[in-house]
Amino acid sequence: MKIAILSRNKRLYSTRRLVEACEQRGHEVRVIDTLRCYMNITSEKPELHYGGENLEGFDAVIPRIGASITFYGTAVLRQFEMMGVFPANESVAISRSRDKLRSLQLLSRDNVGMPKTGFANSPGDIQDLIKMVGGAPLVIKLLEGTQGIGVVLAETKKAAESVIEAFMGLNANILIQEFIKEAGGADIRCFVIGNRVVAAMQRQGAEGEFRSNLHRGGTASLIKITPQERATAIKAAKVMGLNVAGVDLLRSDRGPLVMEVNSSPGLEGIEQATEKDVAGMIIEFIEKNAKPHRTRTKGRG
Ligand code: ADP
């Protein structure tokens, strides 16, 4: 097969591993810098151009689209879809997953467990909002944040009020969430491909840190997940419409709670913690599922 990897940087671990896995399995592979693609969207025949060249003949595309370029990246991916190229994840599913609030609303509609979460716009409603999620301590999250930046633990009601007021004063979009204390500063990353969890790791925050992000000094280790955790992760990916997803769970007294579903999950942490060939499994999924014009939505969403 001829496979395209949409990625801004060839040297990133995940990109390198996907290239390696394609080559090992006998495919032709090419890394394409998402932001250097351009297109004539009014042309009768959908086309993608790249440094003067017409990109064609691809059977599948693996999007690795960073949060900061979601808008342009999904447009490029949509163009591939309109050309009939099979995407590992569809553009509509990626856009959906990038909107934290929309994702949580979709998950809740399908009864996927999640921390009690509230969202409001007016400072006048702060008191009631805090009450709604069960009072302090609570977690305040910037909707645009990633890698744990913009996630604040407010230990008291007073602290919660002032942080929420400050964020609202800056016109930042935030959500308020029940703090899952029993998670103990750890979360579980389930790597889903198709309808299987192919690898799982636990991430533990540094001493005194409630955020377990590896970028914040957290450490990863291999973990055995329960059947309920497995089922929750698979369902969360399915609700979002993602074939390849990193589902982050918190272990709570009332079972697994989904925090986030990531559409471009990194491979480095999970491959190192589990010693599994996750990149190879992504390519295997593509081999089994890629057929010309097999995109469900063709970019319609
Ligand atoms: P980001 O998308 O920026 O990584 P997350 O929502 O995943 O933000 O939060 C970062 C980390 O903070 C999580 O990995 C988890 O360890 C911790 N955390 C987030 N929400 C909660 C919560 N409601 N209760 C307990 N810990 C939480």
Side-chain angles (χ1 to χ4, degrees), residues 92-266:
V92 280
I94 295 174
S95 307
R96 200 181 279 144
S97 75
R98 288 291 155 85
D99 181 336
K100 276 194 193 187
L101 201 60
R102 183 176 177 196
S103 305
L104 292 176
Q105 285 174 318
L106 293 174
L107 294 170
S108 114
R109 186 175 71 187
D110 283 11
N111 288 322
V112 176
M114 68 181 69
K116 261 188 240 155
T117 304
F119 180 71
N121 178 57
S122 163
D125 300 321
I126 293 177
Q127 300 287 344
D128 199 36
L129 191 66
I130 293 177
K131 216 180 327 155
M132 227 167 60
V133 302
L138 55 80
V139 177
I140 302 158
K141 295 186 186 183
L142 274 177
L143 286 192
E144 288 81 20
T146 58
Q147 303 180 344
I149 297 166
V151 180
V152 180
L153 173 62
E155 312 247 12
T156 65
K157 183 158 172 283
K158 269 275 152 268
E161 281 168 9
S162 37
V163 176
I164 296 170
E165 251 168 37
F167 278 147
M168 282 185 171
L170 292 169
N171 287 323
N173 281 315
I174 50 168
L175 57 81
I176 321 290
Q177 207 162 61
E178 150 197 27
F179 176 53
I180 309 301
K181 187 163 186 283
E182 63 271 25
D187 72 354
I188 298 172
R189 160 60 61 94
C190 297
F191 205 107
V192 179
I193 302 179
N195 42 25
R196 282 198 319 134
V197 175
V198 299
M201 65 174 167
Q202 182 171 49
R203 295 176 300 198
Q204 178 72 54
E207 185 74 30
E209 171 63 68
F210 81 100
R211 296 168 300 179
S212 59
N213 303 69
L214 302 181
H215 290 95
R216 311 246 70 74
T219 48
S221 58
L222 187 67
I223 192 178
K224 198 166 158 37
I225 57 170
T226 67
Q228 198 193 1
E229 286 163 350
R230 189 172 291 277
T232 303
I234 294 168
K235 184 164 180 192
K238 202 172 166 125
V239 169
M240 301 307 298
L242 292 166
N243 298 317
V244 177
V247 181
D248 295 341
L249 302 175
L250 289 171
R251 270 191 175 159
S252 83
D253 293 342
R254 56 177 200 276
L257 304 177
V258 174
M259 249 183 331
E260 194 168 27
V261 184
N262 197 310
S263 55
S264 283

